[in-house]
Amino acid sequence: QVQLVESGGGLVQAGGSLRLSCAASGRTFVRYAMGWFRQAPGKEREFVARITWSGGSTDYAESVKGRFTISKDNAKNTVYLQMNSLKPEDTAVYYCADAWRNYRDYMAPSKYNYWGQGTQVTVSS
């Protein structure tokens, strides 16, 4: 079993910044990568970013490139999402998830094994 706990969400004005954290515990040694997803009301869950656990390679959704940065601390089993220049359209519940393999369609939520409970990010205009 793996437990993922997100934190750091909140209310921020457009143009502001937030830093999300996701702390992992349990069977973490099988992890290939960790990802961040988000889900706005009435919309499907969408990929935001991912980072490979060993090499630290990163991938981003086009909508967040240049504004968001994903990073990790292996010793703390924690992944971060630094979000800058936030826009109202970034408003959503943000989830972290882990993947045990590398998939070509790594943006698909179905490719991730365990999920956190989510943290709300609200960006006001």
Side-chain angles (χ1 to χ4, degrees):
Q1 287 286 351
V2 174
Q3 295 80 41
L4 303 175
V5 179
E6 303 100 333
S7 61
L11 174 64
V12 64
Q13 289 188 332
S17 298
L18 281 174
R19 188 194 195 204
L20 306 183
S21 299
C22 174
S25 60
R27 292 186 61 192
T28 59
F29 59 89
V30 296
R31 178 181 305 127
Y32 174 80
M34 290 195 73
W36 285 98
F37 288 75
R38 64 187 182 185
Q39 189 166 17
K43 295 188 177 181
E44 293 186 352
R45 191 166 298 189
E46 66 173 359
F47 172 81
V48 175
R50 77 157 183 174
I51 186 166
T52 61
W53 203 245
S54 178
S57 298
T58 59
D59 297 282
Y60 295 93
E62 285 297 326
S63 60
V64 306
K65 276 184 180 178
R67 300 189 298 123
F68 291 11
T69 302
I70 188 170
S71 62
K72 62 184 177 68
D73 185 330
N74 290 52
K76 295 182 178 180
N77 272 323
T78 300
V79 65
Y80 305 97
L81 187 67
Q82 178 66 43
M83 305 185 295
N84 299 328
S85 302
L86 282 162
K87 305 175 181 180
E89 51 263 45
D90 294 318
T91 295
V93 177
Y94 283 70
Y95 300 90
C96 66
D98 73 343
W100 293 0
R101 295 183 181 180
N102 184 27
Y103 294 100
R104 178 173 295 181
D105 54 342
Y106 59 84
M107 293 186 179
S110 62
K111 300 307 181 185
Y112 292 77
N113 302 89
Y114 287 93
W115 294 80
Q117 82 288 348
T119 185
Q120 176 71 47
V121 172
T122 303
V123 184
S124 62
S125 57

